[in-house]
Amino acid sequence: MAAAHALIKSGRSEEAAQRARHLRLRQPRSLIGYTLESNAWLAMGRGDEALACLRDCPAELPPDRAFLTSKAFALQACGRHDEAIPVFLQALGLKIDDALLHFHLGTSFKQMGMKAEAAECVRTALTLGLGSSDLSARGQLVFLEREACRWSEAADELQRLRAAAQALPPHQAAETTPFCHAVLVADPHEQLKVARHYALHVARRVQPLPRVRPRDHGGRLRVGYLSADFHNHATSELLVQVLEEHDRACVEVFALSAGRDDGSALRRRVVAAVEHFVELQGHSHAQIAKRVRELRIDILVDLKGATQDTLLPVLAARPAPLQLGWLGFPGSSGATYIDYVVGDPVVTPLAHATHYAEKIAQLPHCYQPNDARRERARPSRRSDWGAPEDGLLLCAFHQSYKISAAVFDVWCALLREREDVRLWLLQWNTNVQATLSAAARERGVDPQRLLFAPLLPLQQHLDRLACADLYLDAWPCNAHTTASEALWVGIPVVTLQGQTFAQRVASSLLHAVGLDELVCSDTETYRAQVLALMADGERRSMLRQHLLAQRERNPLFDGAAFTRDWEALLQRMWQQALRGAPPQHLAAQHR
């Protein structure tokens, strides 16, 4: 038993599973063998095997807390959160003051779309105490409250989170939540401070590999894209054409996949696009880093950053001679082990260099790739999507955490200007409709004027999106993928630009399609711009025609040209490294 525990701790989970299996075969009426083997499978990311092991346990044996906890985690790992919730509750019945169980119960509520319930679980866990993970959990609590649009609770918790983060000594490793700050806080220097704490926390837990220097090996540039999102996910939706367009005479492409295979058409397309699809799901971070080193990757491109299923520990091991952050995280990693952050002149101007721990490498047009091969919006009527045919339809298909009280105040003020205007929102979770309807009523707007749209597959989403008149952006985190989708189907986007990466993305997209006029610098200008467009149907029509007419040739949607620009930037970074020079800011260059 002790040996199996030690093997799991040391990353030798397969050996641990074998030892635990021998134990349970020798003692089939002892729960510990089943629990240990399940934990070993879970350490390898193999929830199905963990559940299969637990199912072999004799049904008449009363489960203890360790057994129930392992079963709940296995159900979570398999995405069966509705089944995990009662098992967590059963385990809590045996020890109600287990903070970690409350926290992980919240994870299942979150995945079920029950954000308010998840927030209460995390709040309970924080009350009981989570030790060094308190700050991270507090960030998650803020995010959950924002997802539920419980703005008062979110504001209180955010104030506590910011105060705690600001009190940390500058060079202290701490388990912070950089993504929460990146999308909810408008101060780029505070964002960087929080990211640095987290990057140090990650590095402290990693044994770096011996450093390798860049070398001119005379072959193609070996580029590894590292992600857990090579499935039906926004990252793959944006990136897939770049993978297809790579010049294989110059670049050897590796997709390093640490995530699940969802069986989707997008997953199959990514697999077909690259020469080497390397399946790494279930591997430890140390094992992934070792594999990157074995593959002799020249440039490792991290597509995750400090988001869910982060792979920053792989980067912290320094498996590749040159390491970049791109696309997955809207800000700085705060890490010394990432050489460049990839942006463009709008989203990461060189004047903002102090906002980043990395050097800035600028693409010439927009940092965000787009897939010109995706489907066009098919003709449909608003009534097909539950929206009225008459009146003006303002669309704001944001994830609900982006909608703050201040943003909603402006949107409701716009609705009060004209009775024939409706606001189209996403039904992002189970809480959002009731909460936003009540908020609208408090602001003098009939809740019937809010329309809530369910989540749909991409093609139907694009068809529906094309029925809107205007897309309203949010702040301090803009629409990113959805903004480019709106422009793709011909819907003008009005945005409010700020100082952070997350609040400059829509500005970059609009600049790439020649619509800088829709970029606003303050809320009054934003409100005035939307009101002017609401009153001017001819201008809205002209903007739509502009977007559709030049969709084939504008830089935002030219995937082939984007890939050539991207490859040129990769070569610039690589040549800089080959010269033995440290990374330096690379201003955009047009071919």
Side-chain angles (χ1 to χ4, degrees):
M1 182 173 70
H5 269 302
L7 288 168
I8 294 172
K9 290 285 188 183
S10 64
R12 296 160 62 187
S13 297
E14 288 194 30
E15 292 179 57
Q18 291 173 5
R19 282 181 176 267
R21 176 167 293 186
H22 290 317
L23 174 63
R24 71 177 174 91
L25 290 175
R26 289 197 309 271
Q27 302 178 34
R29 301 190 64 78
S30 172
L31 289 175
I32 189 64
Y34 301 94
T35 303
L36 278 174
E37 185 182 341
S38 172
N39 290 342
W41 289 120
L42 286 171
M44 292 183 277
R46 293 159 70 173
D48 288 332
E49 286 91 338
L51 276 180
C53 159
L54 295 174
R55 280 196 295 266
D56 287 344
C57 183
E60 65 272 15
L61 290 181
D64 61 12
R65 186 165 60 91
F67 182 95
L68 290 168
T69 299
S70 192
K71 182 178 179 180
F73 285 158
L75 288 165
Q76 277 191 336
C78 296
R80 293 161 60 177
H81 295 282
D82 56 333
E83 297 173 63
I85 288 170
V87 181
F88 274 121
L89 292 172
Q90 192 178 355
L92 282 167
L94 299 176
K95 192 176 191 304
I96 193 63
D97 62 347
D98 189 320
L100 279 174
L101 283 181
H102 283 285
F103 181 84
H104 289 292
L105 171 61
T107 299
S108 280
F109 277 123
K110 173 186 174 182
Q111 294 301 322
M112 293 288 291
M114 302 168 71
K115 310 297 183 175
E117 292 81 356
E120 294 308 323
C121 291
V122 175
R123 184 173 281 109
T124 300
L126 280 164
T127 301
L128 293 169
L130 289 166
S132 63
S133 296
D134 263 22
L135 196 58
S136 173
R138 191 165 297 285
Q140 293 190 50
L141 176 57
V142 172
F143 197 79
L144 288 166
E145 295 289 20
R146 282 293 294 265
E147 285 193 294
C149 294
R150 300 202 306 188
W151 296 320
S152 177
E153 293 90 338
D156 290 344
E157 294 296 345
L158 182 59
Q159 184 177 11
R160 295 187 187 99
L161 174 68
R162 295 181 71 178
Q166 287 166 359
L168 290 172
H171 302 293
Q172 180 176 321
E175 190 181 353
T176 55
T177 48
F179 185 75
C180 181
H181 267 73
V183 298
L184 299 181
V185 174
D187 182 341
H189 297 290
E190 185 179 335
Q191 289 181 358
L192 178 58
K193 181 180 188 297
V194 167
R196 280 182 166 144
H197 290 304
Y198 184 73
L200 288 167
H201 164 76
V202 169
R204 187 177 61 179
R205 301 156 68 92
V206 171
Q207 179 63 48
L209 296 169
R211 189 70 182 268
V212 290
R213 296 186 179 280
R215 64 184 186 86
D216 189 352
H217 47 71
R220 294 179 294 163
L221 188 62
R222 298 167 71 86
V223 179
Y225 293 95
L226 179 65
S227 182
D229 297 327
F230 291 129
H231 48 250
N232 200 19
H233 186 278
T235 296
S236 290
E237 177 191 327
L238 295 172
L239 183 68
V240 63
Q241 190 181 358
V242 170
L243 300 178
E244 293 169 337
E245 294 283 355
H246 263 307
D247 183 353
R248 294 194 177 187
C250 303
V251 181
E252 189 172 359
V253 179
F254 298 76
L256 308 166
S257 176
R260 61 193 173 89
D261 179 356
D262 62 353
S264 64
L266 185 55
R267 166 77 169 207
R268 293 192 296 272
R269 191 175 159 195
V270 169
V271 172
V274 299
E275 289 176 81
H276 309 282
F277 191 90
V278 185
E279 181 55 74
L280 297 168
Q281 186 186 24
H283 289 57
S284 70
H285 292 135
Q287 290 170 329
I288 295 173
K290 182 181 177 183
R291 186 70 178 124
V292 171
R293 177 63 60 85
E294 290 170 349
L295 292 168
R296 304 189 315 280
I297 299 298
D298 295 322
I299 302 180
L300 184 61
V301 183
D302 175 39
L303 299 170
K304 287 295 297 177
T307 60
Q308 185 175 346
D309 301 320
T310 182
L311 294 166
L312 282 179
V314 177
L315 283 291
R318 265 290 185 181
L322 191 61
Q323 302 190 157
L324 323 178
W326 181 40
L327 197 58
F329 185 81
S332 176
S333 67
T336 57
Y337 42 84
I338 297 182
D339 301 300
Y340 291 96
V341 60
V342 179
D344 62 56
V346 175
V347 81
T348 54
L350 295 185
H352 288 185
T354 58
H355 301 178
Y356 298 89
E358 313 87 342
K359 298 301 182 183
I360 294 171
Q362 293 180 340
L363 284 157
H365 300 292
C366 180
Y367 87 103
Q368 186 195 91
N370 272 273
D371 176 20
R373 295 179 178 138
R374 68 183 140 194
E375 297 294 333
R376 308 297 176 86
R378 300 169 299 192
S380 65
R381 295 173 60 83
R382 291 178 178 180
S383 55
D384 296 334
W385 312 108
E389 295 290 349
D390 60 333
L392 199 65
L393 192 53
L394 304 179
C395 183
F397 283 173
H398 297 277
Q399 293 188 46
S400 54
Y401 73 82
K402 298 184 182 184
I403 305 174
S404 67
V407 168
F408 201 65
D409 284 344
V410 174
W411 290 351
C412 285
L414 293 168
L415 291 177
R416 290 195 299 269
E417 292 287 333
R418 279 177 51 176
E419 289 297 322
D420 66 333
V421 180
R422 288 174 175 80
L423 180 61
W424 217 0
L425 301 161
L426 273 184
Q427 179 110 36
W428 188 255
N429 56 59
T430 61
N431 311 108
V432 70
Q433 182 167 349
T435 311
L436 290 180
S437 294
R441 187 179 293 108
E442 291 170 3
R443 288 160 175 78
V445 173
D446 183 348
Q448 296 300 314
R449 295 174 65 192
L450 306 185
L451 308 175
F452 290 91
L455 300 176
L456 291 176
L458 179 61
Q459 177 62 72
Q460 293 170 273
H461 165 65
L462 295 175
D463 297 344
R464 179 177 63 186
L465 185 55
C467 292
D469 290 303
L470 194 61
Y471 193 93
L472 302 184
D473 205 5
W475 62 88
C477 185
N478 294 162
H480 295 177
T481 304
T482 310
S484 56
E485 289 167 345
L487 298 172
W488 173 254
V489 299
I491 305 303
V493 177
V494 179
T495 191
L496 177 58
Q497 186 183 88
Q499 294 297 301
T500 65
F501 189 119
Q503 201 177 339
R504 301 179 72 85
V505 172
S507 302
S508 176
L509 297 169
L510 287 164
H511 179 71
V513 298
L515 291 179
D516 293 284
E517 66 198 78
L518 300 184
V519 177
C520 307
S521 58
D522 54 65
T523 54
E524 280 307 308
T525 308
Y526 175 97
R527 183 173 176 275
Q529 179 70 264
V530 176
L531 284 174
L533 285 166
M534 286 167 55
D536 193 342
E538 183 178 352
R539 185 175 172 222
R540 293 198 309 272
S541 180
M542 288 174 61
L543 290 171
R544 183 185 289 259
Q545 290 307 310
H546 166 82
L547 288 168
L548 295 177
Q550 49 92 64
R551 178 168 54 186
E552 304 293 337
R553 60 183 184 276
N554 75 56
L556 186 61
F557 299 122
D558 189 338
F562 181 98
T563 308
R564 300 291 82 77
D565 290 333
W566 171 233
E567 289 172 341
L569 184 58
L570 290 172
Q571 288 291 351
R572 288 176 66 198
M573 289 184 275
W574 185 240
Q575 291 305 314
Q576 173 80 1
L578 287 179
R579 289 193 294 270
Q584 64 180 6
H585 298 303
L586 298 177
Q589 286 185 358
H590 292 265
R591 290 181 294 113

